[in-house]
C-alpha cells in the first residue's frame, strides 16, 4: 500500500509536468529538434539542439533521452530529462531505420559511416499525425474563442 | 524545543523547482502520529511526549503495552518513541501531529537505522586498497595489512579501522530542507537521502543547527 502511494504521486507529477506540452513518439535513431529554455539574467529565450537520438531511458519521472550531433568535427551529446520543464518542446524531424535500441556505436564512427538511413514512410506518417493534431488543436482553439465571444456577448 | 515526529520512509523521487532544476527528494509518510503519554518535570523529572505511529492488531501487542494504549484511548501503535521537549511546548494526550507540524522551507534532522550490510572486510567497509596481487603476498590480498607501529606505542589504537559489522546502526542526517508538504496524503518531501531502507521508521526533528531564513 505504501509503495503504491509513491508510484501514484510520481504518476500525478508526470501528468502535471507533461500537461501543456506534447511529447511525440520517438525512439533511438530519430532526428530531433529539442527546444530548451535558457535563462539569461532577466530574459528567457529558446535554444534549439538538433541531432540524432541515440538512447531513450524509460524510468517513470526519471526518464531521459540522449541526443548526439557533430559540431565542428567534435561529437556533442546532451542528455535531457524527458519531463523536465526546461525542455520546452521536442520536434521530430526524421525517423531513422535502425536495428538497435541504443546507438552508442555511432560514437566510434565518422562522417559518412555515422549516417542513419531514413525511414521515409514512418517520417511521412509521423508528420501527417502531427499536422492533424495541430489542425484539431486549431479547431479547438477556434471553437473556444467563439464560445468565449458568445459568452462575452 | 518542540517534539519530533515518527515517520515511515517511502522512497526517493525527483521534483523540479521553479527554475526547472531537478531536486532529489525522499518521501516520508506520517500515519496518525498521536500523543500516547506526557512526562512532566514535576512528576517525572523531565519534560517529554511519547508518540505512537500507525496501528497494529491487539493480538500482536503485549499486555502492558495494550493497557498503556487503552489508557491513552487509542489502538496499539506500530511504533512508539519518546521525544524530549521544553516545558512550553508540551502537548496533551490524544493530540495528533500531521505534516503541518513542519513548514515548507524549514530545515530538519532525520534519524533512522541504516541498511545492514553484515560482516564486511576493510576493502568494502573502509575503502582500503588491500595488499598486492603478487610479490609474495599469500592469502591476504584483501586484508588490511599492518595495524600499528613498533614497541612504542606497543598497542593497536582504539577505533582502528578493521573488518567487522557494517550498517544497521542509528544514523542522523542533519539540515535537510523541507521542499514540499502534502497535507492531503500526510507526506513530507525532504531534500536528499535519509538513512534506512524503504518502509523503515525514521524520526524527524527541527534542525538543531540550521533555521530557515525569514
Amino acid at each position: 500500500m505504501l509503495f503504491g502511494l509513491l508510484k501514484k504521486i510520481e504518476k500525478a507529477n508526470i501528468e502535471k509536468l507533461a500537461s501543456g506540452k506534447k511529447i511525440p513518439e520517438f525512439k533511438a535513431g530519430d532526428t530531433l529538434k529539442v527546444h530548451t529554455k535558457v535563462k539569461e539574467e532577466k530574459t528567457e529565450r529558446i535554444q534549439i539542439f538538433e541531432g540524432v537520438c541515440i538512447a531513450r531511458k524509460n524510468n517513470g519521472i526519471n526518464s531521459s533521452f540522449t541526443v548526439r550531433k557533430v559540431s565542428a568535427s567534435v561529437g556533442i551529446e546532451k542528455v535531457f530529462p524527458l519531463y523536465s520543464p526546461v525542455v520546452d518542446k521536442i520536434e521530430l524531424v526524421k525517423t531513422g531505420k535502425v536495428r538497435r535500441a541504443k546507438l552508442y556505436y555511432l560514437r566510434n564512427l565518422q562522417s559518412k559511416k555515422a549516417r542513419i538511413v531514413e525511414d521515409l514512410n514512418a517520417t511521412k506518417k509521423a508528420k501527417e499525425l502531427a499536422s492533424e493534431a495541430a489542425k484539431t488543436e486549431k479547431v479547438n482553439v477556434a471553437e473556444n474563442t467563439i464560445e468565449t465571444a458568445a459568452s462575452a456577448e | 524545543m518542540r517534539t519530533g515526529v515518527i515517520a515511515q520512509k517511502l522512497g526517493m523521487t525527483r521534483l523540479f523547482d521553479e527554475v526547472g532544476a531537478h531536486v532529489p527528494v525522499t518521501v516520508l509518510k506520517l500515519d496518525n502520529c498521536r500523543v500516547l503519554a506526557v512526562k512532566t518535570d514535576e512528576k517525572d523529572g523531565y519534560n517529554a511526549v511519547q508518540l505512537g505511529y500507525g496501528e497494529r492488531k491487539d493480538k500482536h501487542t503485549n499486555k502492558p503495552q495494550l493497557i498503556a494504549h487503552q489508557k491513552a484511548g487509542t489502538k496499539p501503535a506500530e511504533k512508539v518513541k519518546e521525544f524530549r521537549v521544553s516545558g512550553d511546548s508540551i502537548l496533551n494526550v490524544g493530540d495528533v501531529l500531521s505534516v503541518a507540524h513542519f513548514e515548507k522551507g524549514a530545515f530538519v534532522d532525520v534519524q533512522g537505522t541504516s541498511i545492514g550490510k553484515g560482516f564486511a572486510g576493510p576493502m568494502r567497509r573502509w575503502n582500503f586498497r588491500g595488499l598486492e596481487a603478487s610479490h609474495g603476498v599469500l592469502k591476504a590480498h584483501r586484508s588490511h595489512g599492518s595495524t600499528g607501529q613498533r614497541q612504542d606505542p606497543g598497542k593497536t589504537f582504539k577505533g582502528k579501522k578493521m573488518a567487522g559489522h557494517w550498517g544497521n546502526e542509528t544514523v542522523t542526517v542533519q539540515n535537510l530542507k523541507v521542499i514540499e508538504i502534502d497535507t492531503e496524503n500526510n507526506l513530507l518531501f525532504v531534500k536528499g537521502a535519509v538513512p534506512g531502507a524503504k518502509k523503515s521508521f525514521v524520526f524527524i526533528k527541527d534542525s538543531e543547527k540550521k533555521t530557515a531564513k525569514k
Side-chain angles (χ1 to χ4, degrees), chain A residues 2-3 9-10 13 62 85, chain B residues 8 10 13-16 27 187:
Chain A
L2 277 175
F3 298 120
I9 294 159
E10 248 179 26
N13 207 355
N62 302 322
Chain B
Q8 214 167 1
L10 286 196
T13 179
R14 75 171 9 159
L15 298 175
F16 293 98
V27 186
L187 298 174

Side-chain angles (χ1 to χ4, degrees), chain A residues 53-140:
Chain A
C53 172
I54 62 164
R56 241 190 111 155
K57 288 185 180 175
N58 298 318
N59 186 10
I61 197 161
N62 302 322
S63 302
S64 66
F65 60 98
T66 308
V67 180
R68 179 184 168 85
K69 77 167 177 184
V70 177
S71 174
S73 73
V74 178
I76 295 169
E77 280 177 20
K78 269 192 169 186
V79 184
F80 297 98
L82 189 61
Y83 297 109
S84 168
V86 173
V87 176
D88 192 47
K89 200 165 96 178
I90 303 165
E91 223 178 297
L92 186 69
V93 182
K94 275 194 287 192
T95 312
K97 233 183 210 172
V98 288
R99 305 173 81 164
R100 301 273 180 283
K102 306 275 189 279
L103 310 177
Y104 298 137
Y105 67 87
L106 286 179
R107 290 168 181 167
N108 302 326
L109 301 180
Q110 279 180 351
S111 58
K112 274 191 175 176
K113 282 200 167 160
R115 281 177 309 179
I116 286 171
V117 179
E118 191 183 347
D119 190 341
L120 286 167
N121 286 334
T123 310
K124 211 174 151 192
K125 228 176 184 178
K127 283 207 170 148
E128 269 171 17
L129 268 174
S131 65
E132 251 173 52
K135 256 184 211 166
T136 49
E137 199 174 86
K138 257 184 201 167
V139 170
N140 282 341

Side-chain angles (χ1 to χ4, degrees), chain B residues 124-195:
Chain B
R124 194 160 120 77
R125 192 175 176 208
W126 302 109
N127 297 327
F128 282 12
R129 61 186 283 271
L131 304 189
E132 285 183 63
S134 68
H135 291 294
V137 176
L138 205 66
K139 294 180 180 174
H141 307 287
R142 293 184 65 86
S143 78
H144 47 58
S146 168
T147 59
Q149 295 77 38
R150 304 186 77 171
Q151 194 169 16
D152 178 26
K155 61 173 180 181
T156 300
F157 288 119
K158 277 192 175 160
K160 172 84 192 100
K161 290 173 181 171
M162 289 192 198
H165 193 273
W166 188 26
N168 197 19
E169 57 186 355
T170 305
V171 178
T172 310
V173 180
Q174 295 181 316
N175 309 333
L176 297 177
K177 195 175 184 183
V178 176
I179 299 294
E180 214 168 287
I181 286 168
D182 183 350
T183 44
E184 196 184 320
N185 295 314
N186 227 353
L187 298 174
L188 207 63
F189 293 74
V190 167
K191 185 179 176 183
V194 160

